[in-house]
Amino acid sequence: DEAKRAAETLEGKIVRITAKAGAGGKLFGSVTAKEVAQEIKKQFGVEIDKRKVSLSGDIKAFGTYQAEIKLYAGISAKLSVSISEA
C-alpha cells in the first residue's frame, strides 16, 4: 500500500534540481541517482533508496530527463528530472 501511494505521489511529477555549470555550459560533474533520491525526499516527502532510481545514463547536461523509480515488485513511477543552472 505504501509503495502504491508513493507511486501515485510521484507519477508524472517533475523533480527540479539546480546544478553548477562548468566550461561550455555543461554540468560541473554529473547528477547521480543519489541526488535525484535526495531531491525526491525534499520536494515530495517520499523516501527513495538511490538504488531504486533508474536513469537512462549519467546526467551531464542541463535539460529534462526521464527517470523510473522502482518502488516494489511490479510498482514503479515514471517522472521527469529537470536540471537547471544554479
Side-chain angles (χ1 to χ4, degrees):
D1 277 1
E2 197 174 307
K4 281 184 185 164
R5 273 199 304 277
E8 287 167 10
T9 300
L10 298 175
E11 185 66 43
K13 294 288 195 297
I14 299 174
V15 180
R16 298 183 196 289
I17 299 176
T18 54
K20 290 189 175 126
K26 294 271 190 205
L27 283 180
F28 189 77
S30 65
V31 174
T32 63
K34 179 181 177 188
E35 290 169 287
V36 173
Q38 288 170 339
E39 285 300 318
I40 288 172
K41 183 173 182 196
K42 243 192 267 181
Q43 293 174 33
F44 303 107
V46 178
E47 185 121 14
I48 303 286
D49 187 312
K50 69 177 191 247
R51 292 173 299 219
K52 298 195 185 285
V53 177
S54 173
L55 300 167
S56 57
D58 285 346
I59 297 175
K60 296 184 185 216
F62 296 109
T64 302
Y65 300 84
Q66 294 303 308
E68 185 174 7
I69 313 300
K70 294 174 177 27
L71 296 156
Y72 197 73
I75 301 174
S76 65
K78 287 183 168 42
L79 49 81
S80 298
V81 180
S82 173
I83 312 297
S84 59
E85 197 168 339

